[in-house]
Amino acid sequence: MATPSFSIPSSRPTTSQFSLPAGAQATATIDLDDLLFSTKKTQHEPPRPIAQDPPEHSLTADRAVARHTLEERLVLIYACLESRDLLSAEQIFHRLLRSNLTDMREIVDARILNAFIEARLDPSPPRHGRPGVSEPNFSLQRAMDWFQSFDGQLTVKRTGDTFAILVHHHLKAGQIDRVRELVERMELEGVTIQQLLDNYRFDEISDRTSLEAVLRDMGKDVEGIPTADRLLLTAMEESDRKQAARTTTASATADPSAAFYDLEPESSSTPAVKPPKTAPQSTTSRGIQILQKALRDLVATGRSDKYAQQQWLEERSAAAAVENEEEERANMPERIRRLSAMPTDLIAAWDSHLVKKLEEDIAEMASSGRDAEETPLLEWLRQAKPARLSKITITEFIRPPTRQEIEEGNLAGQIPFAKLAMTIGRRVEQELRARKIKEHTSKQKYRMQNALHELHNDGKLFQMRMRNMISKISKFKGDDKWLPRFPDGTRARLGAFLVERLMSVARVRVMEPNPLIPGEMEGVEKPAFEHEIERLSTKQRRGMIRFNPALYEVMMRQDVTVEPWLLPMLVRPRPWMTWKEGGYLLHTQKMVRIQKDKESRRYLNSADQANQMTHVQVALDILGAVPWKINDEVYDVAAAMWNKGEHAPSLPSAITIPELDPIPEDAPKEDIWKYQTQQKERRDKLAQNFSIRADSNYKLEIAKAFCGETIYFPHNLDFRGRAYPMPQHLNHIGNDLCRGLLLFAEGKAVGTQGLRWLKIQIAALAGFDKASFMEREKYTDRHLESVFDSADRPLDGSRWWLQTENPWQLLAACKELTRALRSPNPEEYISYLPIHQDGTCNGLQHYAALGGDELGAKQVNLLPGDKPADVYTGVADKVQEIVDADIIAGVPEAILMKNRVNRKLVKQTVMTNTYGVTFIGARDQIRNRLREARDIQRHAVKRAEQAAARGQTIETETFEPELSNEDIEKCSLYATRKVFESMGALFEGARAIQLWLNVAASVISRSTFAEHVPKEQLEVAAQLNAMGVLPSPFTVARTQVREAEDSMRAEAASDLDESVGGLLGAIASDMAEAAESSLPDGAESTASTGAAATPEDDEFDDGGLLADEDKKAVAKRIANERISKMTSVVWTTPLGLPIVQPYRNYMQRNIPTLLQTVTIYDRQSNAPVNPTKQSTAFPPNFIHSLDASHMMISAIACEEAKIAFAAVHDSYWTHACDVATMNDILRDGFVRIHSRDLMQDLRTEFTDRYAGHKIPVVVELDTPELQQQWKEWCKSKGFKDGIQKTKKGFKTKKISTWVDIEFAQLPARGEFKIEQVKDSTYFFN
């Protein structure tokens, strides 16, 4: 029984909104009424549930190794084919057929076999011959053998590419009869003439003409076949007929055929790039130098067309090469005393030595006489030049961590070995793939890409009729080449090899005391990097690559590097016509960021084939099509402060920490331990400072490089549907400096309302954001002198702008408002500054809307108000009420918390509570706030004491007695509970919904598709049902919710359990865990209430049934077969994006390398889900998906309204004059989404999607009559009944079995009416 995925069966009266109408794409423009909640069903076959491997094919450790070996051997075959070593490729392939036919049948497809056919028809000689091998590569007979192999052991279906390869060869050879035979066979096998004609091999006019002539002779109607080029031209001409005629000054692609046939269309010359006024003196990034050199090359080669420039830039920067450029020794800092004058070619020396070493290694491997399987690294090392491999490796070694990596605890100068090896392996793969993609890009495909770019520039792809036609055209691809991804094992081995080789040659010169001449120093060559094993716990260790301290000091003050191929784009990003292609022109990225999760790929592929995600793709294209430019005025200020070494938020200055005095070798252990701890603290502080400065360095250098350019940010999604820019270092989602450096490239007259919004934004950025709009506007008017001073004299004036949390954005706003007010007509001033409108704790807004929670809605501005409600203050006030009551009751912790509850204490916890923060995490947050308050108190007291010592008196705040560390621990536990309690009181509806979501996900993740349950186990369930003891699915569902509520209450009252999280105070990781602890082995929960079983070992147990002699095999299967939890939580967003939670317990695999063993996770296996993670993560992930949907429909509506739209999660930006329009759109979009009962629709979708699933339960046979029935049935089946007799006559028998899945009824909705949002001025503010 197939379970639906994206649509609701027609047999049900209610249709889920979680599907996109099939007809929505047929509209001429984007129709928001058809965008959501259509009742039309999407017609396509959903993916089937992932099954546990059958016993004979279960993924045991040995079989997992065999499968990994197969995957690595297949990419080795690809490398051999690339090297033209066909004999080795064929030998490896046939060995795999003999050794692992099962997995070969699953993995091998037509692309692999086509690659062998094409290779055997290519007369090119081997690029790297093996000793003793002289057989020619060309062999028509071998090619036909591979053609026949489709029908052999693998039973693979031939594709259009299969026939195109052979037809093209025989046409060239003049063998027309063979062409006819192939065409006839092709049609018999279901491959169309259209697919053949559209294959890139027939791009050339002569080839196409010859083929069409043969087809006409065969009586085929060639003229009526809508090939891709004809369809595209038709689409462009139809679109042009519906547009006004272009002027004669339009681009050369005004003729629709020009964009398709001109490989390099003419365009007007690129405007001169405006040079920045200030260059950041301290940044000499080699990666940036590559970027700058690439940009200079663009001008030098006369590439004025932006599309060609972007391709050129991606090609030039793909390897992130470290250029060998001279540097002057005089520029080196004097304070680096441990180094002699550092050679200007230090990096170049490493590069030279590593290139030589790699060349020697390749030569040695090649001369060994061993076959490809014995030297797999040789084949991959040969694919790229040693110089490329060297530069990729060095770049990754010296690259400081990104901001995200810093936040995860990774610091400069110390890199986990496994991560470094995998990253280098991935970078080499990306380099090779980029090269092959360019080689595989046919003339036809290039023409189509060029035409697609022109259509996108003209905005025609936002017309749904046009987009639908282009989407159909994209399915005519006939150049589906085999380009396999590297398995993680290959990446790890290749990367680890390059790591070890660089470490063996990289040296740095260190100044040390001369042992022969006291008082003199000498230069000594030392290894630049060291490999150490770091102990993380008693059972966990990891390898680290650490800089030599001397090198570390040099890198702290010198070069950084960058990955320039993840930079802003010079043209609009490639539109997302499928989920696999879009964004950058050459570097392939997926629309959804998934880590090799094959279940997610299956759902995305299915949705893509059904054109279900069209509106998601449109929204991403809209976000990527927003043109930006660098704010050169803010850049000049930032660069000036950087050059002076001044500290500012997002722009920290360098710190200097004196070295510790050495201690004697015979010092006490306690002193040695203290010294080592202090050394580590010093190193970590320096590393963190360097890492953050390097991140700022990137931003400044990239901004400098793109000054005067119009830039674009391609976007893609995380698995929940949240949009992120793909460029890593400089984008509008970045920190305050990033946002201050960016402006819209297209301006609009500010207008009367726009001036008002400029003032409102300044007040908000200055920290005055809790007041009404009118009060904020007045605040700015009162501070106009400070605004003008900040704009005119940002560094020489009062620096008012620097005294805020977001100084760079405030500086940009001050300059914009100053220019507007000083212009002759302020209302006509052209403004480029994005104005922000931020949601009020968006997660809580969605929860309040889902549950109709009126009290919660008021707290998060869903209801109209005179000024914005502040949910953080609301929670703090509620906590204070509880604390005051507890003080009267004499609660010790409440007394300690007197006058310590405030907005700052609760803000982070409230903000993250909606998104699943655990109790432990929340307690950490509040503990940190209490410590910060104590530090502020100590600092204030110290200042007062110093002033008193000088005979001065200063005003200080009155503080409560200082909290000790023990007090803070007690208070943090107490305050966290009270925050959760207050959240539950303020957001009762949200709490109930989050509880339901948790329970639903827990049920799903513990369920099994009925077809995957052995039939004998289902017979047991049927018998128990016949006996009247099997609980109904509805009883089980109600019990699960009740147990979850009881578990939550018990945990909230416990002093020991801190695992709770979220609004519900936390569901237990296993809902029936307490009940399980009292049961014997094999039993999983109480059955009298119909509770779901939750076995710890993921194994189904039948309660100990044993077989008679003639039934042993069957009974053994019943008792011992493992039924793994394979079902993940899957839902579809209102815009048609399927969401698959990726939390599974993947099998680990160890990869031995020269330096250490690298552990990776096998994400290709059918791994069991992690039920706890599936359950706890679902509520925040579901809310994120709704939030993302609201953003997307807002983006589409803004495009329809012709206003700019940029998104930073729950903060939306547009021009000042369009803020009111955007606010109307935001309110309307939120109402549109929540006008449906989303929770009921979700329950309906779950009911249909998981129809046919079973969940484990335990039933009790607690009467003699029931046990007698059970004994009789077991006897009829040949089973031992397992009933134990006692002195009292019998003992209750507990049996694990299965019941149909069912979902509890939804919590009752509150009285809040969603239409009220339309009247809420401060919904977004």
Side-chain angles (χ1 to χ4, degrees):
M1 178 181 178
T3 57
S5 295
F6 306 112
S7 58
I8 305 306
S10 56
S11 60
R12 287 191 171 265
T14 303
T15 302
S16 171
Q17 92 288 5
F18 291 89
S19 62
L20 190 69
Q25 294 83 6
T27 56
T29 57
I30 302 167
D31 189 343
L32 291 178
D33 290 331
D34 285 344
L35 200 154
L36 298 167
F37 319 130
S38 172
T39 58
K40 295 182 181 179
K41 179 181 176 181
T42 302
Q43 301 291 337
H44 71 289
E45 183 66 24
R48 287 179 58 80
I50 284 186
Q52 175 185 357
D53 287 314
E56 63 271 22
H57 299 313
S58 60
L59 200 61
T60 61
D62 290 342
R63 183 166 178 264
V65 171
R67 186 181 179 92
H68 286 303
T69 301
L70 168 62
E71 292 169 349
E72 292 180 15
R73 289 294 182 267
L74 285 176
V75 293
L76 177 59
I77 288 173
Y78 174 81
C80 291
L81 291 176
E82 286 295 302
S83 299
R84 307 287 301 136
D85 184 3
L86 305 193
L87 186 60
S88 293
E90 290 178 337
Q91 289 174 345
I92 297 170
F93 187 91
H94 291 302
R95 286 174 193 159
L96 293 174
L97 271 183
R98 292 191 297 270
S99 64
N100 195 350
L101 179 60
T102 299
D103 287 329
M104 284 285 279
R105 283 174 171 165
E106 182 179 336
I107 294 175
V108 173
D109 59 21
R111 294 174 303 161
I112 299 177
L113 301 182
N114 290 343
F116 277 102
I117 296 174
E118 193 158 33
R120 277 302 180 184
L121 295 177
D122 186 349
S124 304
R127 295 173 185 166
H128 312 284
R130 287 191 176 272
V133 178
S134 58
E135 178 183 335
N137 278 335
F138 176 80
S139 172
L140 179 58
Q141 182 57 50
R142 287 282 185 91
M144 293 309 299
D145 289 342
W146 283 106
F147 181 83
Q148 297 301 330
S149 71
F150 280 78
D151 302 321
Q153 294 174 292
L154 297 174
T155 61
V156 178
K157 181 177 175 60
R158 297 179 182 87
T159 64
D161 213 40
T162 310
F163 290 98
I165 294 168
L166 289 167
V167 167
H168 185 263
H169 170 77
H170 289 301
L171 268 179
K172 288 288 188 182
Q175 299 167 339
I176 305 303
D177 290 341
R178 299 300 301 273
V179 172
R180 292 173 180 271
E181 293 173 6
L182 285 166
V183 170
E184 290 172 355
R185 181 165 182 174
M186 178 188 78
E187 291 188 295
L188 288 174
E189 296 191 17
V191 178
T192 65
I193 298 295
Q194 179 175 283
Q195 290 173 279
L196 182 64
L197 282 172
D198 222 51
N199 193 278
Y200 76 95
R201 292 171 179 82
F202 302 102
D203 277 353
E204 296 295 332
I205 298 298
S206 57
D207 294 332
R208 189 183 186 96
T209 302
S210 300
L211 177 58
E212 288 181 344
V214 174
L215 294 173
R216 288 191 189 95
D217 287 344
M218 296 177 67
K220 307 298 181 185
D221 182 11
V222 177
E223 312 306 328
I225 295 178
T227 54
D229 53 355
R230 294 169 184 167
L231 280 174
L232 183 59
L233 285 175
T234 300
M236 296 175 70
E237 289 166 356
E238 180 183 349
S239 176
D240 283 339
R241 282 196 301 269
K242 295 180 179 180
Q243 275 189 327
R246 298 185 181 182
T247 63
T248 55
T249 58
S251 67
T253 59
D255 176 3
S257 62
F260 190 78
Y261 289 111
D262 294 344
L263 297 184
E264 293 191 16
E266 298 177 0
S267 65
S268 58
S269 59
T270 305
V273 175
K274 177 182 177 181
K277 302 172 185 176
T278 311
Q281 298 169 359
S282 58
T283 49
T284 55
S285 161
R286 298 191 184 279
I288 291 295
Q289 290 168 7
I290 305 164
L291 172 65
Q292 293 167 338
K293 188 173 188 299
L295 289 174
R296 290 196 300 269
D297 289 345
L298 289 178
V299 178
T301 55
R303 291 176 178 266
S304 59
D305 175 62
K306 288 295 182 183
Y307 189 81
Q309 285 185 12
Q310 180 64 34
Q311 286 190 318
W312 175 274
L313 182 60
E314 291 185 34
E315 291 171 18
R316 290 285 298 154
S317 59
V322 181
E323 296 290 327
N324 178 13
E325 296 183 358
E326 293 295 327
E327 297 177 343
E328 297 181 4
R329 294 175 183 267
N331 290 337
M332 295 305 299
E334 295 286 344
R335 58 185 178 274
I336 306 179
R337 293 176 287 102
R338 289 184 294 172
L339 293 175
S340 63
M342 177 185 175
T344 58
D345 57 353
L346 174 64
I347 306 298
W350 294 353
D351 183 45
S352 175
H353 292 315
L354 182 55
V355 170
K356 183 178 179 182
K357 181 70 173 174
L358 291 175
E359 289 173 344
E360 292 172 353
D361 289 335
I362 292 172
E364 181 180 351
M365 293 180 195
S367 63
S368 66
R370 293 180 292 174
D371 66 21
E373 286 189 278
E374 295 177 299
T375 57
L377 276 175
L378 173 62
E379 299 303 328
W380 285 111
L381 292 172
R382 280 174 164 175
Q383 298 305 307
K385 296 180 180 179
R388 273 295 189 225
L389 295 173
S390 171
K391 289 170 181 175
I392 290 173
T393 305
I394 293 172
T395 295
E396 285 305 316
F397 259 82
I398 65 176
R399 177 183 68 84
T402 63
R403 178 167 293 275
Q404 180 179 352
E405 291 170 332
I406 295 170
E407 292 172 353
E408 293 171 353
N410 297 317
L411 300 177
Q414 43 193 4
I415 317 167
F417 172 83
K419 180 177 182 179
L420 180 61
M422 292 292 288
T423 301
I424 291 175
R426 190 178 296 110
R427 294 289 176 263
V428 174
E429 177 189 13
Q430 289 170 340
E431 165 76 1
L432 299 179
R433 286 184 67 85
R435 189 188 72 196
K436 294 307 298 181
I437 287 172
K438 188 172 187 298
E439 290 178 5
H440 290 174
T441 301
S442 64
K443 292 181 180 179
Q444 180 201 42
K445 191 170 183 178
Y446 185 90
R447 291 198 299 266
M448 290 191 66
Q449 288 176 351
N450 212 358
L452 195 63
H453 173 68
E454 292 298 324
L455 289 170
H456 192 31
N457 272 346
D458 291 344
K460 294 177 182 176
L461 293 186
F462 299 140
Q463 301 171 8
M464 300 312 293
R465 186 183 300 277
M466 169 65 75
R467 191 178 190 96
N468 189 41
M469 186 173 292
I470 298 297
S471 178
K472 291 179 180 178
I473 293 172
S474 67
K475 294 180 171 56
F476 282 94
K477 293 186 297 183
D479 53 349
D480 191 15
K481 289 263 190 176
W482 181 37
L483 189 57
R485 294 280 183 183
F486 281 23
D488 284 340
T490 299
R491 290 173 178 166
R493 290 191 178 91
L494 178 58
F497 175 82
L498 294 171
V499 168
E500 191 278 333
R501 285 301 185 261
L502 177 58
M503 291 183 65
S504 69
V505 300
R507 315 287 287 182
V508 62
R509 200 176 186 201
V510 181
M511 296 302 294
E512 293 184 347
N514 189 330
L516 302 178
I517 307 176
E520 289 196 7
M521 306 289 285
E522 65 174 349
V524 180
E525 293 289 327
K526 295 281 188 179
F529 309 99
E530 296 178 352
H531 176 252
E532 298 178 1
I533 300 298
E534 179 180 78
R535 185 176 295 277
L536 301 177
S537 66
T538 55
K539 296 182 179 180
Q540 191 176 12
R541 297 181 301 169
R542 69 173 178 180
M544 297 292 292
I545 303 296
R546 300 192 188 278
F547 285 8
N548 182 296
L551 175 66
Y552 181 68
E553 294 291 342
V554 173
M555 299 304 295
M556 284 282 293
R557 296 167 174 81
Q558 287 297 308
D559 299 339
V560 299
T561 189
V562 71
E563 298 169 352
W565 62 277
L566 286 180
L567 290 168
M569 296 182 67
L570 297 171
V571 297
R572 280 191 176 190
R574 189 158 47 125
W576 293 101
M577 303 309 297
T578 76
W579 83 275
K580 295 180 180 179
E581 291 184 354
Y584 289 98
L585 303 185
L586 298 181
H587 292 275
T588 56
Q589 300 284 334
K590 299 291 190 291
M591 186 183 81
V592 183
R593 305 175 185 182
I594 53 176
Q595 292 187 338
K596 294 187 175 180
D597 180 29
K598 67 179 184 180
E599 187 178 18
S600 294
R601 289 201 304 269
R602 289 167 60 228
Y603 276 94
L604 289 166
N605 285 334
S606 180
D608 209 12
Q609 287 298 313
N611 288 332
Q612 181 176 307
M613 301 185 293
T614 302
H615 288 96
V616 174
Q617 294 161 344
V618 168
L620 285 177
D621 291 346
I622 290 170
L623 295 176
V626 175
W628 299 83
K629 68 177 181 179
I630 301 299
N631 188 331
D632 56 349
E633 291 183 318
V634 172
Y635 167 81
D636 286 336
V637 175
M641 293 188 71
W642 176 271
N643 292 340
K644 294 177 182 178
E646 291 191 56
H647 177 84
S650 303
L651 203 69
S653 60
I655 63 173
T656 301
I657 304 176
E659 292 188 26
L660 300 175
D661 295 330
I663 63 172
E665 295 182 0
D666 58 351
K669 289 185 177 179
E670 294 79 5
D671 292 348
I672 294 176
W673 178 84
K674 183 178 180 181
Y675 175 78
Q676 291 174 341
T677 301
Q678 291 174 339
Q679 282 279 50
K680 184 178 185 303
E681 289 176 354
R682 175 181 181 273
R683 181 182 64 192
D684 288 350
K685 286 180 180 179
L686 290 171
Q688 187 167 23
N689 177 254
F690 168 64
S691 301
I692 297 173
R693 279 179 56 78
D695 180 66
S696 302
N697 194 352
Y698 282 11
K699 292 171 173 44
L700 289 177
E701 285 289 5
I702 294 170
K704 174 190 170 187
F706 284 96
C707 262
E709 293 282 351
T710 297
I711 58 177
Y712 300 85
F713 299 121
H715 285 63
N716 63 359
L717 308 172
D718 67 9
F719 79 91
R720 303 165 300 183
R722 300 199 89 184
Y724 292 86
M726 294 160 70
Q728 289 184 347
H729 303 298
L730 180 67
N731 61 62
H732 58 290
I733 290 186
N735 62 11
D736 176 54
L737 177 62
C738 281
R739 299 181 189 189
L741 284 170
L742 291 171
L743 296 170
F744 288 136
E746 298 173 352
K748 283 190 174 183
V750 70
T752 305
Q753 289 301 310
L755 285 173
R756 176 172 178 261
W757 282 111
L758 277 173
K759 293 179 180 181
I760 291 171
Q761 173 134 324
I762 286 177
L765 292 170
F768 193 72
D769 56 347
K770 307 301 180 296
S772 68
F773 289 143
M774 182 178 296
E775 290 171 335
R776 293 185 218 179
E777 187 178 0
K778 291 179 180 178
Y779 172 91
T780 301
D781 288 335
R782 290 195 304 270
H783 291 81
L784 276 180
E785 184 177 342
S786 297
V787 170
F788 295 153
D789 179 72
S790 297
D792 297 335
R793 301 187 301 155
L795 298 180
D796 301 327
S798 65
R799 296 195 174 192
W800 174 76
W801 63 279
L802 264 178
Q803 301 167 23
T804 62
E805 290 186 7
N806 299 294
W808 299 106
Q809 294 178 80
L810 179 56
L811 177 61
C814 287
K815 287 182 172 292
E816 193 81 344
L817 181 61
T818 299
R819 282 194 299 268
L821 293 178
R822 290 175 178 173
S823 64
N825 188 341
E827 295 180 6
E828 295 180 2
Y829 171 75
I830 303 300
S831 175
Y832 299 87
L833 184 75
I835 301 298
H836 314 163
Q837 294 291 280
D838 301 339
T840 306
C841 204
N842 271 54
L844 289 175
Q845 286 183 326
H846 284 287
Y847 269 125
L850 288 171
D853 185 352
E854 195 163 22
L855 179 58
K858 183 177 180 180
Q859 295 293 326
V860 291
N861 293 310
L862 296 187
L863 287 172
D866 296 332
K867 63 179 182 178
D870 182 18
V871 63
Y872 310 116
T873 300
V875 172
D877 291 344
K878 189 70 177 177
V879 172
Q880 187 63 60
E881 291 178 13
I882 298 172
V883 171
D884 290 342
D886 285 350
I887 289 175
I888 296 173
V891 177
E893 293 84 358
I895 295 171
L896 289 172
M897 285 297 297
K898 183 179 179 181
N899 296 328
R900 301 183 198 275
V901 178
N902 52 45
R903 184 179 187 273
K904 186 175 182 180
L905 180 74
V906 306
K907 179 178 178 180
Q908 186 179 14
T909 302
V910 174
M911 186 186 305
T912 56
N913 207 303
T914 316
Y915 298 119
V917 66
T918 64
F919 189 95
I920 294 175
R923 185 181 178 183
D924 285 342
Q925 294 167 352
I926 289 179
R927 182 191 291 117
N928 290 336
R929 300 296 84 75
L930 290 173
R931 287 174 177 170
E932 290 171 2
R934 183 177 63 180
D935 291 341
I936 293 172
Q937 178 178 348
R938 287 175 175 176
H939 180 69
V941 171
K942 186 175 181 179
R943 269 196 312 133
E945 291 174 349
Q946 292 172 344
R950 296 192 300 267
Q952 300 172 344
T953 302
I954 61 174
E955 292 186 8
T956 60
E957 184 180 349
T958 301
F959 294 103
E960 296 294 329
E962 182 179 298
L963 295 177
S964 66
N965 287 336
E966 183 179 355
D967 291 338
I968 287 178
E969 290 301 310
K970 293 178 181 178
C971 289
S972 63
L973 178 61
Y974 170 81
T976 304
R977 285 194 182 130
K978 300 312 172 187
V979 170
F980 276 50
E981 183 180 336
S982 301
M983 292 282 290
L986 290 174
F987 296 93
E988 184 177 355
R991 178 179 177 274
I993 286 175
Q994 193 176 41
L995 175 66
W996 188 93
L997 293 172
N998 267 109
V999 172
S1002 179
V1003 170
I1004 291 168
S1005 60
R1006 288 174 171 82
S1007 71
T1008 299
F1009 193 43
E1011 292 182 10
H1012 305 157
V1013 178
K1015 65 178 182 179
E1016 292 80 10
Q1017 293 181 9
L1018 296 178
E1019 288 179 10
V1020 171
Q1023 174 59 25
L1024 293 172
N1025 186 49
M1027 293 167 59
V1029 294
L1030 190 69
S1032 73
F1034 293 99
T1035 300
V1036 174
R1038 286 196 302 270
T1039 302
Q1040 289 159 347
V1041 174
R1042 185 167 61 249
E1043 286 182 347
E1045 291 173 338
D1046 293 343
S1047 177
M1048 178 270 293
R1049 282 191 289 268
E1051 288 164 359
S1054 171
D1055 286 337
L1056 300 176
D1057 194 330
E1058 298 181 356
S1059 64
V1060 292
L1063 283 172
L1064 35 108
I1067 299 295
S1069 60
D1070 274 323
M1071 295 184 301
E1073 191 171 354
E1076 285 179 2
S1077 62
S1078 63
L1079 299 181
D1081 293 341
E1084 294 140 351
S1085 183
T1086 59
S1088 58
T1089 57
T1094 53
E1096 291 299 322
D1097 59 357
D1098 288 349
E1099 182 176 340
F1100 177 90
D1101 182 81
D1102 76 331
L1105 295 178
L1106 298 175
D1108 291 332
E1109 292 299 321
D1110 59 342
K1111 296 284 187 177
K1112 278 185 177 179
V1114 173
K1116 183 178 180 181
R1117 181 181 180 192
I1118 297 175
N1120 299 327
E1121 182 176 343
R1122 296 177 64 88
I1123 306 297
S1124 297
K1125 302 180 177 74
M1126 304 299 297
T1127 311
S1128 54
V1129 180
V1130 182
W1131 71 100
T1132 314
T1133 71
L1135 286 179
L1137 179 70
I1139 310 292
V1140 180
Q1141 292 199 145
Y1143 314 117
R1144 292 182 176 271
N1145 295 322
Y1146 292 105
M1147 187 180 297
Q1148 291 185 344
R1149 183 187 177 203
N1150 293 327
I1151 307 295
T1153 69
L1154 292 172
L1155 290 179
Q1156 69 169 70
T1157 297
V1158 175
T1159 300
I1160 63 175
Y1161 289 94
D1162 175 21
R1163 297 184 182 274
Q1164 296 294 330
S1165 64
N1166 289 345
V1169 298
N1170 182 329
T1172 300
K1173 186 65 175 173
Q1174 289 279 344
S1175 174
T1176 58
F1178 176 50
N1181 289 341
F1182 178 67
I1183 295 300
H1184 277 306
S1185 72
L1186 293 182
D1187 202 19
S1189 296
H1190 177 226
M1191 181 276 293
M1192 290 178 185
I1193 66 170
S1194 299
I1196 293 172
C1198 285
E1199 170 64 25
E1200 283 287 282
K1202 303 304 178 186
I1203 66 174
F1205 180 88
V1208 182
H1209 298 317
D1210 59 353
S1211 177
Y1212 304 147
W1213 303 1
T1214 192
H1215 291 93
C1217 61
D1218 293 327
V1219 172
T1221 303
M1222 184 181 73
N1223 275 335
D1224 288 341
I1225 287 172
L1226 297 180
R1227 287 188 286 267
D1228 183 67
F1230 193 84
V1231 171
R1232 281 175 180 273
I1233 286 181
H1234 287 284
S1235 291
R1236 291 278 298 214
D1237 188 344
L1238 293 182
M1239 293 301 299
Q1240 182 58 54
D1241 288 331
L1242 178 66
R1243 185 179 183 276
T1244 301
E1245 183 184 13
F1246 279 173
T1247 299
D1248 288 304
R1249 184 185 301 284
Y1250 298 105
H1253 280 64
K1254 304 281 186 179
I1255 57 173
V1257 296
V1258 174
V1259 300
E1260 294 181 353
L1261 305 181
D1262 54 1
T1263 68
E1265 292 79 13
L1266 290 175
Q1267 292 194 5
Q1268 182 61 34
Q1269 290 183 53
W1270 176 252
K1271 290 175 68 173
E1272 293 175 358
W1273 183 79
C1274 288
K1275 184 177 181 180
S1276 70
K1277 291 291 184 179
F1279 302 153
K1280 288 186 177 179
D1281 52 56
I1283 294 177
Q1284 300 177 13
K1285 294 183 178 180
T1286 66
K1287 293 180 180 180
K1288 295 182 179 180
F1290 71 92
K1291 181 179 180 180
T1292 298
K1293 173 64 180 174
K1294 297 178 180 179
I1295 304 173
S1296 298
T1297 187
W1298 300 93
V1299 67
D1300 290 339
I1301 195 171
E1302 186 55 71
F1303 298 94
Q1305 292 300 312
L1306 294 164
R1309 284 184 58 85
E1311 298 300 321
F1312 170 66
K1313 304 299 182 185
I1314 192 63
E1315 292 79 10
Q1316 294 174 279
V1317 171
K1318 292 187 176 182
D1319 299 321
S1320 176
T1321 304
Y1322 298 102
F1323 169 58
F1324 268 66
N1325 68 92

